[in-house]
PDB file of all heavy atoms in Angstrom:
ATOM      1  N   ARG Y 861     118.337 145.108 130.392  1.00  0.00           N
ATOM      2  CA  ARG Y 861     118.573 145.115 131.843  1.00  0.00           C
ATOM      3  C   ARG Y 861     120.049 145.356 132.155  1.00  0.00           C
ATOM      4  O   ARG Y 861     120.393 146.117 133.050  1.00  0.00           O
ATOM      5  CB  ARG Y 861     118.094 143.803 132.466  1.00  0.00           C
ATOM      6  CG  ARG Y 861     116.623 143.858 132.865  1.00  0.00           C
ATOM      7  CD  ARG Y 861     116.275 142.702 133.773  1.00  0.00           C
ATOM      8  NE  ARG Y 861     116.241 141.445 133.033  1.00  0.00           N
ATOM      9  CZ  ARG Y 861     115.145 140.954 132.467  1.00  0.00           C
ATOM     10  NH1 ARG Y 861     114.000 141.595 132.591  1.00  0.00           N
ATOM     11  NH2 ARG Y 861     115.180 139.833 131.786  1.00  0.00           N
ATOM     12  N   ASP Y 862     120.927 144.688 131.381  1.00  0.00           N
ATOM     13  CA  ASP Y 862     122.358 144.941 131.567  1.00  0.00           C
ATOM     14  C   ASP Y 862     122.670 146.406 131.312  1.00  0.00           C
ATOM     15  O   ASP Y 862     123.456 147.026 132.021  1.00  0.00           O
ATOM     16  CB  ASP Y 862     123.174 144.078 130.596  1.00  0.00           C
ATOM     17  CG  ASP Y 862     123.295 142.640 131.085  1.00  0.00           C
ATOM     18  OD1 ASP Y 862     123.257 142.441 132.316  1.00  0.00           O
ATOM     19  OD2 ASP Y 862     123.421 141.739 130.241  1.00  0.00           O
ATOM     20  N   ALA Y 863     122.031 146.924 130.257  1.00  0.00           N
ATOM     21  CA  ALA Y 863     122.309 148.314 129.889  1.00  0.00           C
ATOM     22  C   ALA Y 863     121.904 149.260 131.013  1.00  0.00           C
ATOM     23  O   ALA Y 863     122.674 150.157 131.381  1.00  0.00           O
ATOM     24  CB  ALA Y 863     121.573 148.670 128.604  1.00  0.00           C
ATOM     25  N   SER Y 864     120.751 149.027 131.589  1.00  0.00           N
ATOM     26  CA  SER Y 864     120.327 149.966 132.628  1.00  0.00           C
ATOM     27  C   SER Y 864     121.193 149.793 133.882  1.00  0.00           C
ATOM     28  O   SER Y 864     121.485 150.754 134.579  1.00  0.00           O
ATOM     29  CB  SER Y 864     118.839 149.791 132.932  1.00  0.00           C
ATOM     30  OG  SER Y 864     118.628 148.593 133.614  1.00  0.00           O
ATOM     31  N   ARG Y 865     121.639 148.555 134.125  1.00  0.00           N
ATOM     32  CA  ARG Y 865     122.549 148.346 135.253  1.00  0.00           C
ATOM     33  C   ARG Y 865     123.840 149.132 135.053  1.00  0.00           C
ATOM     34  O   ARG Y 865     124.417 149.682 135.978  1.00  0.00           O
ATOM     35  CB  ARG Y 865     122.852 146.846 135.373  1.00  0.00           C
ATOM     36  CG  ARG Y 865     123.600 146.446 136.630  1.00  0.00           C
ATOM     37  CD  ARG Y 865     123.624 144.919 136.783  1.00  0.00           C
ATOM     38  NE  ARG Y 865     124.069 144.224 135.584  1.00  0.00           N
ATOM     39  CZ  ARG Y 865     125.334 144.116 135.190  1.00  0.00           C
ATOM     40  NH1 ARG Y 865     126.294 144.682 135.900  1.00  0.00           N
ATOM     41  NH2 ARG Y 865     125.657 143.475 134.098  1.00  0.00           N
ATOM     42  N   LEU Y 866     124.311 149.192 133.788  1.00  0.00           N
ATOM     43  CA  LEU Y 866     125.544 149.911 133.489  1.00  0.00           C
ATOM     44  C   LEU Y 866     125.297 151.392 133.219  1.00  0.00           C
ATOM     45  O   LEU Y 866     126.213 152.127 132.877  1.00  0.00           O
ATOM     46  CB  LEU Y 866     126.221 149.292 132.265  1.00  0.00           C
ATOM     47  CG  LEU Y 866     126.697 147.845 132.415  1.00  0.00           C
ATOM     48  CD1 LEU Y 866     127.051 147.245 131.065  1.00  0.00           C
ATOM     49  CD2 LEU Y 866     127.902 147.782 133.340  1.00  0.00           C
ATOM     50  N   GLY Y 867     124.017 151.780 133.313  1.00  0.00           N
ATOM     51  CA  GLY Y 867     123.695 153.181 133.068  1.00  0.00           C
ATOM     52  C   GLY Y 867     123.832 153.578 131.609  1.00  0.00           C
ATOM     53  O   GLY Y 867     124.239 154.692 131.286  1.00  0.00           O
ATOM     54  N   LEU Y 868     123.549 152.655 130.720  1.00  0.00           N
ATOM     55  CA  LEU Y 868     123.685 152.951 129.294  1.00  0.00           C
ATOM     56  C   LEU Y 868     122.321 152.942 128.635  1.00  0.00           C
ATOM     57  O   LEU Y 868     121.424 152.220 129.061  1.00  0.00           O
ATOM     58  CB  LEU Y 868     124.560 151.873 128.625  1.00  0.00           C
ATOM     59  CG  LEU Y 868     126.010 151.801 129.071  1.00  0.00           C
ATOM     60  CD1 LEU Y 868     126.660 150.531 128.566  1.00  0.00           C
ATOM     61  CD2 LEU Y 868     126.767 153.030 128.600  1.00  0.00           C
ATOM     62  N   SER Y 869     122.178 153.748 127.612  1.00  0.00           N
ATOM     63  CA  SER Y 869     120.931 153.691 126.860  1.00  0.00           C
ATOM     64  C   SER Y 869     121.243 153.625 125.373  1.00  0.00           C
ATOM     65  O   SER Y 869     122.388 153.808 124.947  1.00  0.00           O
ATOM     66  CB  SER Y 869     120.045 154.876 127.203  1.00  0.00           C
ATOM     67  OG  SER Y 869     120.782 156.059 127.044  1.00  0.00           O
ATOM     68  N   ASN Y 870     120.213 153.369 124.619  1.00  0.00           N
ATOM     69  CA  ASN Y 870     120.333 153.195 123.179  1.00  0.00           C
ATOM     70  C   ASN Y 870     121.151 154.330 122.554  1.00  0.00           C
ATOM     71  O   ASN Y 870     120.885 155.494 122.809  1.00  0.00           O
ATOM     72  CB  ASN Y 870     118.914 153.207 122.568  1.00  0.00           C
ATOM     73  CG  ASN Y 870     118.747 152.083 121.591  1.00  0.00           C
ATOM     74  OD1 ASN Y 870     119.731 151.446 121.188  1.00  0.00           O
ATOM     75  ND2 ASN Y 870     117.523 151.822 121.209  1.00  0.00           N
ATOM     76  N   GLY Y 871     122.144 153.982 121.759  1.00  0.00           N
ATOM     77  CA  GLY Y 871     122.889 155.004 121.045  1.00  0.00           C
ATOM     78  C   GLY Y 871     124.112 155.521 121.761  1.00  0.00           C
ATOM     79  O   GLY Y 871     124.936 156.202 121.164  1.00  0.00           O
ATOM     80  N   ASP Y 872     124.285 155.187 123.042  1.00  0.00           N
ATOM     81  CA  ASP Y 872     125.486 155.630 123.756  1.00  0.00           C
ATOM     82  C   ASP Y 872     126.725 154.992 123.138  1.00  0.00           C
ATOM     83  O   ASP Y 872     126.745 153.807 122.842  1.00  0.00           O
ATOM     84  CB  ASP Y 872     125.417 155.196 125.234  1.00  0.00           C
ATOM     85  CG  ASP Y 872     124.483 156.083 126.027  1.00  0.00           C
ATOM     86  OD1 ASP Y 872     124.017 157.085 125.442  1.00  0.00           O
ATOM     87  OD2 ASP Y 872     124.227 155.764 127.199  1.00  0.00           O
ATOM     88  N   GLU Y 873     127.743 155.780 122.960  1.00  0.00           N
ATOM     89  CA  GLU Y 873     129.005 155.252 122.420  1.00  0.00           C
ATOM     90  C   GLU Y 873     129.752 154.529 123.539  1.00  0.00           C
ATOM     91  O   GLU Y 873     129.979 155.095 124.605  1.00  0.00           O
ATOM     92  CB  GLU Y 873     129.827 156.431 121.871  1.00  0.00           C
ATOM     93  CG  GLU Y 873     131.025 156.050 121.042  1.00  0.00           C
ATOM     94  CD  GLU Y 873     130.676 155.632 119.622  1.00  0.00           C
ATOM     95  OE1 GLU Y 873     129.496 155.768 119.236  1.00  0.00           O
ATOM     96  OE2 GLU Y 873     131.575 155.142 118.912  1.00  0.00           O
ATOM     97  N   VAL Y 874     130.079 153.252 123.305  1.00  0.00           N
ATOM     98  CA  VAL Y 874     130.789 152.505 124.350  1.00  0.00           C
ATOM     99  C   VAL Y 874     132.051 151.880 123.787  1.00  0.00           C
ATOM    100  O   VAL Y 874     132.229 151.761 122.582  1.00  0.00           O
ATOM    101  CB  VAL Y 874     129.910 151.391 124.964  1.00  0.00           C
ATOM    102  CG1 VAL Y 874     128.789 151.964 125.784  1.00  0.00           C
ATOM    103  CG2 VAL Y 874     129.406 150.461 123.883  1.00  0.00           C
ATOM    104  N   GLU Y 875     132.905 151.460 124.702  1.00  0.00           N
ATOM    105  CA  GLU Y 875     134.160 150.818 124.322  1.00  0.00           C
ATOM    106  C   GLU Y 875     134.265 149.488 125.047  1.00  0.00           C
ATOM    107  O   GLU Y 875     133.867 149.365 126.195  1.00  0.00           O
ATOM    108  CB  GLU Y 875     135.335 151.720 124.707  1.00  0.00           C
ATOM    109  CG  GLU Y 875     136.623 151.305 124.046  1.00  0.00           C
ATOM    110  CD  GLU Y 875     137.739 152.300 124.362  1.00  0.00           C
ATOM    111  OE1 GLU Y 875     138.068 152.445 125.556  1.00  0.00           O
ATOM    112  OE2 GLU Y 875     138.249 152.923 123.432  1.00  0.00           O
ATOM    113  N   ILE Y 876     134.791 148.482 124.349  1.00  0.00           N
ATOM    114  CA  ILE Y 876     134.948 147.162 124.956  1.00  0.00           C
ATOM    115  C   ILE Y 876     136.398 146.744 124.832  1.00  0.00           C
ATOM    116  O   ILE Y 876     136.999 146.870 123.764  1.00  0.00           O
ATOM    117  CB  ILE Y 876     134.096 146.113 124.234  1.00  0.00           C
ATOM    118  CG1 ILE Y 876     132.639 146.536 124.209  1.00  0.00           C
ATOM    119  CG2 ILE Y 876     134.227 144.752 124.891  1.00  0.00           C
ATOM    120  CD1 ILE Y 876     131.797 145.647 123.360  1.00  0.00           C
ATOM    121  N   ALA Y 877     136.921 146.206 125.909  1.00  0.00           N
ATOM    122  CA  ALA Y 877     138.264 145.658 125.925  1.00  0.00           C
ATOM    123  C   ALA Y 877     139.276 146.639 125.333  1.00  0.00           C
ATOM    124  O   ALA Y 877     140.283 146.246 124.769  1.00  0.00           O
ATOM    125  CB  ALA Y 877     138.308 144.323 125.154  1.00  0.00           C
ATOM    126  N   GLY Y 878     138.954 147.897 125.414  1.00  0.00           N
ATOM    127  CA  GLY Y 878     139.880 148.912 124.955  1.00  0.00           C
ATOM    128  C   GLY Y 878     140.074 148.963 123.459  1.00  0.00           C
ATOM    129  O   GLY Y 878     140.879 149.735 122.945  1.00  0.00           O
ATOM    130  N   ARG Y 879     139.362 148.140 122.679  1.00  0.00           N
ATOM    131  CA  ARG Y 879     139.632 148.180 121.241  1.00  0.00           C
ATOM    132  C   ARG Y 879     138.386 148.109 120.372  1.00  0.00           C
ATOM    133  O   ARG Y 879     138.473 148.118 119.164  1.00  0.00           O
ATOM    134  CB  ARG Y 879     140.597 147.066 120.845  1.00  0.00           C
ATOM    135  CG  ARG Y 879     140.095 145.674 121.098  1.00  0.00           C
ATOM    136  CD  ARG Y 879     141.215 144.684 120.804  1.00  0.00           C
ATOM    137  NE  ARG Y 879     140.839 143.342 121.155  1.00  0.00           N
ATOM    138  CZ  ARG Y 879     140.306 142.498 120.290  1.00  0.00           C
ATOM    139  NH1 ARG Y 879     140.074 142.861 119.061  1.00  0.00           N
ATOM    140  NH2 ARG Y 879     139.985 141.279 120.674  1.00  0.00           N
ATOM    141  N   TRP Y 880     137.232 148.004 120.970  1.00  0.00           N
ATOM    142  CA  TRP Y 880     136.031 147.930 120.143  1.00  0.00           C
ATOM    143  C   TRP Y 880     135.091 149.039 120.536  1.00  0.00           C
ATOM    144  O   TRP Y 880     134.770 149.202 121.698  1.00  0.00           O
ATOM    145  CB  TRP Y 880     135.338 146.575 120.361  1.00  0.00           C
ATOM    146  CG  TRP Y 880     134.908 145.966 119.064  1.00  0.00           C
ATOM    147  CD1 TRP Y 880     135.555 144.967 118.413  1.00  0.00           C
ATOM    148  CD2 TRP Y 880     133.770 146.297 118.289  1.00  0.00           C
ATOM    149  NE1 TRP Y 880     134.906 144.672 117.257  1.00  0.00           N
ATOM    150  CE2 TRP Y 880     133.797 145.469 117.137  1.00  0.00           C
ATOM    151  CE3 TRP Y 880     132.737 147.228 118.408  1.00  0.00           C
ATOM    152  CZ2 TRP Y 880     132.832 145.531 116.148  1.00  0.00           C
ATOM    153  CZ3 TRP Y 880     131.773 147.288 117.422  1.00  0.00           C
ATOM    154  CH2 TRP Y 880     131.827 146.443 116.307  1.00  0.00           C
TER     155      TRP Y 880
END
Side-chain angles (χ1 to χ4, degrees):
Chain Y
R861 272 194 288 269
D862 281 332
S864 71
R865 189 170 50 78
L866 296 167
L868 295 168
S869 52
N870 226 347
D872 283 353
E873 191 78 7
V874 291
E875 195 175 62
I876 304 172
R879 62 186 174 93
W880 224 102

